[in-house]
Amino acid sequence: MNKAFVKESDRDDDDDLPQAQALPAGMRNYMTPEGYARLRDELAHLMTVERPSVVQIVSWAASNGDRSENGDYLYGKKRLREIDRRMRFLTKRLDIAEVVDASVQPNRDQVFFGATVVYADKAGAEHTVRIVGVDEAEPLAGKISWISPVARALIKAREGDTVVLRTPGGVEELDILEVRYPPLQA
């Protein structure tokens, strides 16, 4: 096959990668210490383990000759682009990160970044959420981004307060039952 038909580009397969939630303009990238460490560890793993391994495979595949029909070479180059893209993303996110240690929060009865909040909706169902950074959010695990509608409704409220949550389905009231922070570090 002619090489003209297998042109490689750095923009190939951009749509295959999940898009990270963009930070609102002018907002800081708040993160918990655990979230920061997780992203830093992922970046280190990509730089020291995954990328060198893939580079070695691509180098071996390139030495085999015709690259146009060499699956190891083509897949390896694609994987290298994915790794490099993720490394650039992580580097940018870590550079602008502002680590917030919730254990030193002085107002422990009020909801701020890093708080674990137990609230009840109007049906009486209790929900427990932890307010974390944009890159740490896992709604199914109870970790919600500080810019999410629920977190915005909860922030600055106190235990016993009722807050209003505006959703596309209408207005809902949430009763704050408990506010917790990680224990103070000695």
Side-chain angles (χ1 to χ4, degrees):
M1 178 183 258
N2 189 329
K3 285 190 178 195
F5 295 109
V6 291
K7 180 171 182 334
E8 293 181 23
S9 165
D10 287 338
R11 305 303 303 165
D12 285 351
D13 304 317
D14 276 349
D15 297 332
D16 292 348
L17 293 177
Q19 296 299 317
Q21 185 173 2
L23 291 171
M27 293 283 190
R28 297 181 178 187
N29 187 22
Y30 295 114
M31 294 181 119
T32 62
E34 306 87 45
Y36 185 84
R38 186 177 52 82
L39 290 184
R40 189 189 61 228
D41 292 346
E42 180 185 353
L43 179 61
H45 177 75
L46 288 172
M47 289 174 60
T48 60
V49 178
E50 261 194 76
R51 192 171 195 291
S53 170
V54 174
V55 165
Q56 185 177 9
I57 291 169
V58 169
S59 176
W60 166 81
S63 70
N64 287 338
D66 185 14
R67 298 175 186 171
S68 64
E69 294 182 14
N70 186 331
D72 288 328
Y73 178 79
L74 295 174
Y75 175 75
K77 291 290 282 185
K78 176 183 175 189
R79 182 68 186 130
L80 271 178
R81 285 191 300 275
E82 292 169 353
I83 290 170
D84 289 343
R85 190 175 305 115
R86 182 68 180 166
M87 286 172 46
R88 280 191 305 274
F89 171 79
L90 291 172
T91 301
K92 287 178 186 175
R93 285 295 225 222
L94 290 171
D95 285 347
I96 63 170
E98 189 166 323
V99 180
V100 177
D101 186 359
S103 67
V104 297
Q105 175 58 254
N107 301 331
R108 299 180 80 76
D109 64 331
Q110 198 170 7
V111 179
F112 290 108
F113 183 88
T116 299
V117 182
V118 180
Y119 67 89
D121 57 22
K122 65 182 174 186
E126 287 189 11
H127 304 276
T128 303
V129 295
R130 181 167 183 221
I131 301 173
V132 296
V134 172
D135 298 317
E136 307 171 74
E138 295 178 40
L140 296 177
K143 295 180 180 181
I144 60 172
S145 165
W146 66 276
I147 62 172
S148 70
V150 173
R152 286 187 180 266
L154 296 172
I155 287 181
K156 294 191 180 175
R158 296 179 188 279
E159 216 170 277
D161 286 355
T162 298
V163 297
V164 175
L165 171 64
R166 296 184 194 321
T167 66
V171 176
E172 188 173 343
E173 291 185 350
L174 308 176
D175 296 319
I176 301 176
L177 305 174
E178 183 183 357
V179 178
R180 293 189 310 256
Y181 287 94
L184 291 170
Q185 302 296 323

